[in-house]
Amino acid sequence: MSRERYEMVVGLEVHVQLKTRTKAFCGCSTDFGAPPNVNTCPVCLGLPGALPVLNERAVELATRAALGLGCRVNPVSIFARKNYFYPDLPKGYQISQFDQPLATGGSVAIGKNETGADVQIGITRLHMEEDAGKSIHDRYPGATAIDLNRAGVPLIEIVSEPDIRTSADAGAYLRTLKQILQYLDVSDVSMEEGSLRVDANISVRPLGQAKLGTKTEVKNMNSFSAVERALEAEFERQCALLDSGGRVEQQTLLWDGARETVRPSRTKEGSHDYRYFPEPDLRPLMLDEKWVGDARNHLPELPEARKMRLIQQYGIPAAGITGTGSMAIPVPSIAGTGLSPTEVEQLTATPALAEYFEAVARASGDGKAAYNWVMGEVLAVLHASGGDIAHFRVRPADLAQLLNLVRDGTISHTAAKRVFALMVETGKQPAQVAADEGLLQVGDEGAIATWVDEVLREHPEEATRYLAGEKKLQGVLVGFVMKKSKGRADPKRVNQLLSARGG
């Protein structure tokens, strides 16, 4: 086995498109999906005489991302020209940052290792740059098309330290990083739309050796699982090469997901190949200390902080310590029906999901019921429709009202599911739907007794066995009564009447 002899060393470069309306250095739209080459102008096409003007909003979002990742924001950073020739780079260079980036340092916590210690992946740097255009190879047979709409869209590049030792840790780092960026609201972070792209630098070295091996860079990965598979494939390729007496060459590789293998693209460039020099048309970016401080003070609540708060508010975790690093807090062991840490983890997957849950929980006063409905019925509808919870037709206040109707005995849980489906369909409030559909719970003993009698007559075999003492059939008969009453019968009264009949 390769892992018995070699160690994987990985550093990741994550390119993140910033959520701005216009491009980094011009007023062209950043809208995704526009017809090819319509969102262009002399500036992003690099035409003679056109001068770039830095997008202030891009600086704000890049700074927020840096602060949210614990980076040091440098008071002065320099834009540089990164020179290379490629069909989708109209100027022949990319405006980026080199030796004086926007931010340095920082880290991402990805959980605990097998010994229980926190695993932190360091961040080397976070810098601003503009995106290139897009080469399209499948539009015309035997030809490559170029769409320059993306050229000039503002990016940040987040470069990790070579701290990653397994493909699983690489996946954990990327998923955690994406979640933090979502909470910071700096990007759509959609790999499908190209607003988050990953390049992986990987080398191998014999176990116990301190010196790093020769690295290769793997590109063309369109999902986090693809990154993990590509790293495994390249790790095995490099190990086999070293075992055979060969030498790893520094080069850029493309991941072929269909064949589950990598293939060479070009010789890997070094920084000297790009002939970096300061961008002559842009002044140094100088950030006031107070401005940076204000940005830090206005950071939104991040995932770990939100998890800890929700555990304190709604959770019943096991005794011990929960959280990582500075977020670790002691928690008591309490019996009850609160949320487990795993359930809180699910709810905080995205900020929109967490916000919807919290609104329902606050309005209903029942965190567990809110969790059950949000993670059950709500997500089932969204998954089926492909919708977004931020624009879900059933507002949190209305779902909370539905939960209150169930808790107060106004409608049964069975009827509530029917009411919810009609709320999704019509947008009406639950009390109105329940009244219109005749789903208000019936507690009248005479009406319930009639339904019970009818069920016992219609299901003689189950009735005979139940009345003879087979108590486990009570739940089956309750279900029959609820179905006959269309969910209106009070289940508690149904059980009481059946218990009386069964002796």
Side-chain angles (χ1 to χ4, degrees):
M1 293 292 291
S2 301
R3 295 195 184 282
E4 296 174 356
R5 303 184 308 279
Y6 296 105
E7 180 179 51
M8 176 191 295
V9 180
V10 173
L12 297 176
E13 300 171 5
V14 180
H15 303 261
V16 180
Q17 284 187 357
L18 297 174
K19 193 187 289 187
T20 59
R21 291 185 299 104
T22 56
K23 293 186 179 181
F25 303 108
C26 66
C28 290
S29 171
T30 58
D31 286 347
F32 177 80
N37 298 308
V38 298
N39 293 335
T40 57
C41 73
V43 174
C44 51
L45 292 178
L47 299 184
L51 293 175
V53 177
L54 181 58
N55 185 332
E56 181 179 354
R57 180 61 174 164
V59 177
E60 293 173 0
L61 295 179
T63 302
R64 186 193 302 171
L67 294 171
L69 294 170
C71 299
R72 176 185 181 273
V73 175
N74 296 316
V76 179
S77 57
I78 304 293
F79 284 98
R81 289 190 180 183
K82 180 180 181 181
N83 297 274
Y84 64 97
F85 293 95
Y86 208 68
D88 56 19
L89 193 70
K91 296 195 289 280
Y93 62 86
Q94 177 189 32
I95 299 179
S96 182
Q97 292 182 321
F98 180 45
D99 56 347
Q100 291 183 260
L102 176 71
T104 53
S107 64
V108 173
I110 63 170
K112 297 182 181 295
N113 60 22
E114 59 277 2
T115 67
D118 293 336
V119 178
Q120 300 270 347
I121 306 301
I123 293 173
T124 307
R125 56 187 280 142
L126 182 152
H127 65 260
M128 299 182 67
E129 62 185 21
E130 62 178 342
D131 210 343
K134 185 177 181 181
S135 298
I136 303 170
H137 304 290
D138 56 1
R139 181 73 60 88
Y140 304 104
T144 294
I146 303 295
D147 180 4
L148 295 176
N149 281 342
R150 201 173 70 182
V153 169
L155 296 176
I156 51 173
E157 181 174 341
I158 303 166
V159 182
S160 83
E161 292 285 339
D163 291 341
I164 299 169
R165 296 292 177 266
T166 68
S167 59
D169 280 356
Y173 168 81
L174 291 171
R175 292 179 180 92
T176 304
L177 180 63
K178 176 181 177 180
Q179 185 185 43
I180 293 171
L181 295 172
Q182 281 181 306
Y183 271 75
L184 291 167
D185 195 28
V186 298
S187 172
D188 295 327
V189 287
S190 168
M191 292 194 81
E192 293 79 10
E193 296 183 2
S195 57
L196 187 151
R197 304 193 295 276
V198 181
D199 298 334
N201 292 291
I202 174 173
S203 64
V204 302
R205 61 187 177 188
L207 283 174
Q209 177 179 297
K211 182 181 178 182
L212 294 174
T214 301
K215 68 179 179 181
T216 58
E217 183 178 34
V218 185
K219 293 178 176 286
N220 197 43
M221 298 168 290
N222 59 8
S223 69
F224 295 156
S225 62
V227 173
E228 294 177 88
R229 298 197 309 275
L231 288 174
E232 288 296 325
E234 176 58 5
F235 175 71
E236 293 298 334
R237 186 191 74 85
Q238 290 191 22
C239 291
L241 191 60
L242 294 175
D243 282 342
S244 66
R247 182 171 58 89
V248 176
E249 294 184 6
Q250 184 169 325
Q251 60 183 324
T252 298
L253 305 166
L254 297 179
W255 169 243
D256 188 331
R259 295 181 173 83
E260 295 284 310
T261 188
V262 295
R263 56 184 173 83
S265 171
R266 63 180 187 268
T267 301
K268 173 69 176 171
E269 297 92 344
S271 59
H272 62 279
D273 294 313
Y274 292 120
R275 305 187 318 282
Y276 281 102
F277 63 86
E279 167 58 65
D281 294 330
L282 288 168
R283 299 173 63 184
L285 176 58
M286 305 179 70
L287 300 180
D288 179 72
E289 184 178 345
K290 182 180 182 304
W291 184 86
V292 174
D294 288 343
R296 180 181 287 106
N297 292 335
H298 287 89
L299 286 177
E301 185 179 41
L302 295 179
E304 273 304 304
R306 190 165 216 162
K307 290 173 195 173
M308 295 303 102
R309 180 172 58 78
L310 291 184
I311 285 175
Q312 290 177 313
Q313 286 182 250
Y314 301 106
I316 309 295
I321 300 293
T322 188
T324 58
S326 61
M327 297 306 303
I329 58 172
V331 292
S333 178
I334 309 172
T337 57
L339 302 179
S340 71
T342 298
E343 290 169 336
V344 170
E345 188 87 28
Q346 294 168 344
L347 287 168
T348 53
T350 68
L353 179 62
E355 286 158 14
Y356 189 95
F357 159 77
E358 285 203 69
V360 175
R362 280 194 302 267
S364 67
D366 190 335
K368 188 67 172 182
Y371 166 83
N372 290 335
W373 277 84
V374 169
M375 298 304 295
E377 279 73 13
V378 172
L379 288 191
V381 170
L382 291 173
H383 289 158
S385 65
D388 178 359
I389 197 166
H391 304 100
F392 189 46
R393 192 167 195 177
V394 178
R395 295 169 298 179
D398 292 339
L399 180 56
Q401 185 186 124
L402 178 64
L403 269 56
N404 292 338
L405 291 176
V406 174
R407 183 184 60 208
D408 297 342
T410 306
I411 62 175
S412 69
H413 187 76
T414 302
K417 294 195 175 186
R418 171 64 179 158
V419 171
F420 177 77
L422 291 171
M423 290 167 65
V424 173
E425 185 179 318
T426 66
K428 293 181 179 179
Q429 293 190 336
Q432 180 184 350
V433 173
D436 292 347
E437 297 295 317
L439 294 173
L440 296 176
Q441 189 158 278
V442 175
D444 177 70
E445 187 166 327
I448 295 174
T450 300
W451 285 324
V452 169
D453 289 339
E454 290 175 0
V455 163
L456 293 176
R457 286 197 303 271
E458 292 167 4
H459 301 275
E461 181 182 346
E462 289 87 348
T464 300
R465 289 163 54 197
Y466 173 69
L467 295 173
E470 198 170 334
K471 299 300 183 185
K472 66 181 181 181
L473 287 172
Q474 182 165 324
V476 175
L477 294 173
V478 170
F480 289 149
V481 174
M482 296 305 297
K483 184 176 181 180
K484 175 170 283 293
S485 68
K486 297 181 179 178
R488 290 180 295 154
D490 181 347
K492 184 177 179 181
R493 296 294 300 135
V494 174
N495 273 291
Q496 289 172 345
L497 288 175
L498 281 171
S499 295
R501 300 289 181 86

